[in-house]
């Protein structure tokens, strides 16, 4: 499975961005997917996850109420709508496929990782 993230960019605080993650190869809509982010000098951290049917979602406290995760299984694509962006949201955003239908927040439960897309929020 290959994952290609896109949609990042440089925006001002308060702006919105929509990230996409296109999956190709031996894809399966039976797996949950998630977004992580990694800022320079920091550990990769969980942002959000969605179950394979899109019914169950999970968000880190730092993004809850501002970010919305969704997926379109017909298009093999994962999305992350990011509103009210803050400078502390600046990071490389990385999409991933987890091992089960519902994902946890733990990195080692994810099997496939994309290369990431840079999001920079200026104050």
């Amino acid at each position: 499975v290959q994952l290609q993230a896109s949609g990042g960019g440089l925006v001002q605080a308060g702006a919105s961005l929509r990230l996409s993650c296109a999956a190709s190869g031996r894809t399966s809509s039976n797996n949950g997917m998630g977004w992580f982010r990694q800022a320079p000098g920091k550990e990769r951290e969980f942002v959000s996850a969605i179950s394979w049917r899109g019914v169950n979602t999970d968000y880190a406290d730092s993004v809850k109420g501002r970010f919305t995760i969704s997926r379109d299984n017909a298009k093999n694509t994962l999305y992350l709508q990011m509103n009210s962006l803050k400078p502390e949201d600046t990071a490389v955003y990385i999409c991933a496929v987890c091992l089960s239908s519902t994902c946890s927040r733990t990195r080692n439960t994810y099997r496939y990782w994309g290369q990431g897309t840079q999001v920079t929020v200026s104050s």
Side-chain angles (χ1 to χ4, degrees), residues 39 68 79 101 105 108 123:
T68 302
Y79 303 99
S101 60
R105 299 184 176 194
N108 63 10
S123 57

Side-chain angles (χ1 to χ4, degrees), residues 38-108:
Q38 188 164 18
K42 295 187 176 181
E43 292 285 322
R44 185 172 298 186
E45 65 174 359
F46 171 81
V47 175
S48 183
I50 187 168
S51 61
W52 76 275
R53 286 183 174 179
V55 174
N56 298 311
T57 58
D58 186 24
Y59 297 94
D61 288 344
S62 58
V63 307
K64 195 173 295 183
R66 299 188 297 122
F67 291 11
T68 302
I69 191 170
S70 62
R71 65 187 295 170
D72 184 337
N73 289 339
K75 296 181 179 179
N76 291 326
T77 303
L78 175 72
Y79 303 99
L80 185 68
Q81 177 66 43
M82 306 187 296
N83 298 329
S84 303
L85 283 162
K86 304 175 181 180
E88 51 263 45
D89 294 320
T90 295
V92 174
Y93 283 71
I94 304 157
C95 55
V97 177
C98 71
L99 297 169
S100 60
S101 60
T102 300
C103 299
S104 75
R105 299 184 176 194
T106 307
R107 285 181 294 173
N108 63 10

